[in-house]
Amino acid sequence: MNWKYVFNPFLKFSEKQMFLLSLVGLLGFGFFGSVFESPLISIFKIANVEEVSILSSIFYATLSYGSAIVMLVILGRFFNSKTRVVDIVNTVGISQLPLLFVMFTYNIPFFKNFNERISNSIDFSTRPHLEIGDIFTLSIFLVLVLPFLIYSIALIYNGFKTATNIKTWQNISVFAGVLILFLIIYQLTILNLNL
């Protein structure tokens, strides 16, 4: 197994294969987001809502993908005027696929019940009280989910790097800074919409 292709599949697979997989992922987020009541509302962000339709879930996932694509195309063209839109579309689509595993893990009844219990017991006026079992459960959840979040971030970075041919640490720093700023602004904006 060549690990280079695991972390940068954009070097091995055709743009059509990547696009089809991205489209399947988008539809998967729409379907499973509705089934689990956990739509993808931003890249790297899955919400927990009650009664979301498949169309609404697809809408939020499409809005999430689309806004990230627009932002990365603009940034990519800033770095390299020959950056192709299809490469950025595939970068965003493929980078979100590991979040399907996060969605499934989050919706395992044991973890979902734990999250609801903790969320309902938080009183922001006092310091949260966690039992040793809660810390253990949270640790298991993080051990299961964190590798997929890191993998997702590695995919978006490697896809963008391949699409734009950025190489210097300054360009990479600008990419990381703009991506973080975008995520903060987008997620604050999406919170104002009624889910």
Side-chain angles (χ1 to χ4, degrees):
M1 173 185 254
N2 193 337
W3 287 100
K4 178 172 78 169
Y5 297 130
V6 170
F7 288 99
N8 198 352
F10 310 97
L11 297 174
K12 182 173 183 172
F13 299 100
S14 74
E15 64 191 41
K16 288 180 184 176
Q17 291 171 316
M18 302 294 259
F19 182 77
L20 286 175
L21 192 55
S22 297
L23 189 58
V24 168
L26 178 66
L27 295 174
F29 277 114
F31 177 74
F32 292 113
S34 175
V35 169
F36 293 135
E37 298 178 337
S38 302
L40 178 77
I41 61 166
S42 172
I43 58 171
F44 310 118
K45 173 79 171 156
I46 297 170
N48 187 18
V49 298
E50 291 181 17
E51 295 184 32
V52 61
S53 69
I54 290 177
L55 289 178
S56 294
S57 188
I58 289 173
F59 169 76
Y60 285 113
T62 303
L63 187 63
S64 168
Y65 276 45
S67 59
I69 289 165
V70 168
M71 182 272 301
L72 289 177
V73 165
I74 292 169
L75 184 61
R77 295 268 168 94
F78 173 77
F79 290 131
N80 181 350
S81 62
K82 295 179 182 177
T83 299
R84 298 181 325 149
V85 174
V86 68
D87 293 333
I88 299 298
V89 168
N90 290 339
T91 293
V92 171
I94 297 299
S95 71
Q96 297 309 289
L97 291 176
L99 292 182
L100 282 169
F101 179 81
V102 174
M103 181 185 286
F104 293 139
T105 305
Y106 177 79
N107 284 286
I108 293 172
F110 177 74
F111 291 124
K112 191 161 189 166
N113 292 338
F114 166 76
N115 183 53
E116 288 172 2
R117 186 173 53 78
I118 294 298
S119 297
N120 293 335
S121 68
I122 291 179
D123 178 8
F124 290 102
S125 63
T126 62
R127 187 180 203 185
H129 178 72
L130 294 174
E131 300 290 331
I132 195 76
D134 295 337
I135 295 170
F136 182 71
T137 302
L138 184 61
S139 299
I140 291 172
F141 179 75
L142 289 175
V143 165
L144 291 173
V145 166
L146 207 53
F148 289 92
L149 291 173
I150 292 168
Y151 183 49
S152 185
I153 292 167
L155 287 172
I156 202 165
Y157 165 72
N158 286 328
F160 186 79
K161 186 177 174 186
T162 301
T164 60
N165 201 27
I166 60 172
K167 290 186 170 108
T168 67
W169 69 267
Q170 293 93 339
N171 290 348
I172 294 167
S173 299
V174 169
F175 163 72
V178 169
L179 183 62
I180 291 168
L181 186 62
F182 165 78
L183 289 172
I184 292 169
I185 293 170
Y186 183 81
Q187 289 180 18
L188 289 174
T189 303
I190 202 76
L191 287 176
N192 292 325
L193 296 176
N194 290 329
L195 285 175

